């Protein structure tokens, strides 16, 4: 059975004070309304990982880095390593967000190395896949997602894969206000689960959490989270505001099963 997850990706937003306020609001919410069915994750900018980890005391609240290097250590100016992410108190790391792939040119091959490095250090990766609008229009979206999954996961064993969380984030729905319909999202999630079943095992397919990301908001979350193969959300814009983030936690707790 897969874990159900509400994850907030802050991207390059919120300063130390704003980050602390948001985590304190989540802590307060969770203390008043304990959640049993879901795990909550926040992914702050790297320089806030220590503060965020120290403030996240609730056992249901964990911290993720937004990125990390594939190398162990050394002369990689501007990078942060897996052991540094761990040392900062984070438990997870987002790997292969479409902004890393598109803006920073991260290749499938690099992302596979990052996934390996994360697992080596006991970090849980949130591995993002997603197609562009033109790929969807040309009906290439399933093939593209399969290619990304294959490239990222091909060298992992059936024992390792359940440690990886997958996030399906269609690029055309990220930050655009345009979300995939619940049918479109479910269709792709079911495709991803089938792929995992074929490549690894039915047990792996059942265990891996598959999150949807792309303009998730309190007003569309119920429909998305109600889909059988959607195990939660990776949320950008709507995770920056305490009220909408906590209402997404509430919706997750109610709807995700
Ligand atoms: P969004 O971002 O919710 O602002 O569309 C999601 C993401 O990029 O993870």
């Amino acid at each position: 059975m897969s874990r159900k997850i509400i994850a907030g990706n802050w991207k390059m937003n919120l300063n130390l004070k704003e980050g602390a306020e948001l985590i304190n609001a989540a802590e307060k919410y969770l203390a008043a309304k304990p959640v049993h069915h879901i795990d909550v994750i926040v992914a702050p900018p790297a320089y806030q990982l220590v503060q965020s980890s120290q403030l996240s005391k609730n056992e249901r609240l964990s911290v993720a880095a937004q990125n990390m290097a594939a190398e162990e250590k050394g002369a990689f100016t501007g990078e942060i390593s897996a052991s540094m992410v761990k040392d900062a108190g984070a438990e997870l790391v987002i790997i292969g967000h479409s902004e890393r792939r598109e803006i920073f040119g991260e290749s499938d091959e690099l992302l596979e190395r990052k996934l390996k490095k994360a697992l080596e250090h006991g970090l849980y990766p949130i591995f993002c896949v997603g197609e562009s609008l033109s790929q969807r229009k040309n009906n290439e979206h399933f093939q593209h997602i399969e290619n990304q999954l294959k490239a990222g996961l091909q060298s992992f064993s059936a024992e390792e894969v359940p440690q990886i969380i997958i996030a399906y984030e269609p690029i055309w729905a990220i930050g655009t206000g345009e979300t995939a319909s619940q049918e479109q999202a479910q269709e792709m999630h079911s495709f991803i689960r089938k792929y995992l079943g074929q490549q690894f095992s039915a047990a792996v397919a059942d265990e891996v959490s598959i999150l949807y990301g792309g303009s998730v908001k309190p007003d569309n979350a119920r429909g998305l989270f109600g889909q059988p193969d959607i195990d939660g959300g990776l949320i950008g814009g709507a995770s920056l505001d305490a009220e909408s983030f906590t209402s997404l936690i509430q919706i997750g707790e109610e709807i995700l099963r």
Side-chain angles (χ1 to χ4, degrees), residues 8 20 26 114 117 146 170 187 220:
K114 290 190 178 196
K117 187 57 76 182
E146 183 170 327
E187 185 184 40
N220 60 24

Side-chain angles (χ1 to χ4, degrees), residues 9 11 97 99 169 173-176 213-216 234-238:
N9 174 12
K11 309 192 180 182
H97 190 280
E99 286 149 20
E169 300 202 306
I174 295 180
T176 56
S215 298
V216 176
L234 179 56
I235 300 140

Side-chain angles (χ1 to χ4, degrees), residues 4-10 22 26 29-30 33 35 37-41 179 212-226 231-256:
K4 310 300 173 212
I5 296 168
I6 299 293
N9 174 12
W10 300 359
L22 188 55
Y29 176 88
L30 293 171
K33 286 196 178 181
V35 294
H37 299 111
I38 58 164
D39 293 315
V40 181
I41 296 168
T179 178
Y212 171 77
S215 298
V216 176
K217 307 213 160 32
D219 64 4
N220 60 24
R222 279 173 197 279
L224 289 162
F225 294 169
D231 297 312
L234 179 56
I235 300 140
S239 77
L240 299 175
D241 170 76
E243 201 178 310
S244 69
F245 189 51
T246 50
S247 67
L248 285 162
I249 296 173
Q250 181 175 354
I251 295 167
E253 176 72 356
E254 273 171 41
I255 311 272
L256 291 167

Side-chain angles (χ1 to χ4, degrees), residues 24-242:
N24 288 337
E27 280 278 325
K28 201 167 150 201
Y29 176 88
L30 293 171
K33 286 196 178 181
V35 294
H36 303 288
H37 299 111
I38 58 164
D39 293 315
V40 181
I41 296 168
V42 289
Y47 87 109
Q48 293 192 39
L49 286 172
V50 172
Q51 168 179 280
S52 301
S53 304
Q54 286 169 352
L55 291 174
S56 300
K57 299 198 177 73
N58 192 292
E59 59 171 20
R60 287 285 179 174
L61 183 59
S62 316
V63 174
Q66 296 175 13
N67 177 38
M68 55 161 238
E71 291 79 14
E72 189 62 32
K73 63 191 270 193
F76 301 101
T77 302
E79 291 290 305
I80 181 169
S81 72
S83 62
M84 291 170 186
V85 169
K86 265 292 268 223
D87 200 28
E91 292 170 59
L92 304 100
V93 57
I94 300 174
I95 301 282
H97 190 280
S98 62
E99 286 149 20
R100 299 297 319 171
R101 293 177 186 263
E102 296 223 308
I103 306 170
F104 300 98
E106 297 196 356
S107 66
D108 285 334
E109 178 274 330
L110 174 68
L111 297 174
E112 192 211 2
R113 291 198 291 120
K114 290 190 178 196
L115 288 169
K116 281 221 129 54
K117 187 57 76 182
L119 287 198
E120 240 176 65
H121 285 265
L123 285 166
Y124 295 99
I126 302 175
F127 177 47
C128 302
V129 296
E131 82 282 0
S132 67
L133 187 57
S134 69
Q135 284 167 327
R136 181 160 279 266
K137 282 193 172 146
N138 294 333
N139 211 19
E140 294 160 4
H141 45 302
F142 291 113
Q143 188 58 51
H144 181 69
I145 299 302
E146 183 170 327
N147 293 346
Q148 287 185 326
L149 290 171
K150 194 167 184 183
L153 304 180
Q154 59 192 348
S155 64
F156 288 99
S157 69
E159 284 69 43
E160 291 168 316
V161 175
Q163 296 167 55
I164 300 174
I165 297 162
I166 293 175
Y168 168 58
E169 300 202 306
I171 298 170
W172 48 273
I174 295 180
T176 56
E178 188 175 334
T179 178
S181 69
Q182 54 200 58
E183 291 78 18
Q184 285 172 321
Q186 166 56 26
E187 185 184 40
M188 187 58 86
H189 281 234
S190 143
F191 176 81
I192 294 171
R193 212 175 286 287
K194 278 206 194 93
Y195 176 84
L196 296 172
Q198 283 159 6
Q199 297 298 312
F200 300 100
S201 70
V204 168
D206 188 50
E207 242 186 283
V208 172
S209 301
I210 310 175
L211 312 183
Y212 171 77
S215 298
V216 176
K217 307 213 160 32
D219 64 4
N220 60 24
R222 279 173 197 279
L224 289 162
F225 294 169
Q227 300 303 309
D229 289 302
I230 297 185
D231 297 312
L234 179 56
I235 300 140
S239 77
L240 299 175
D241 170 76

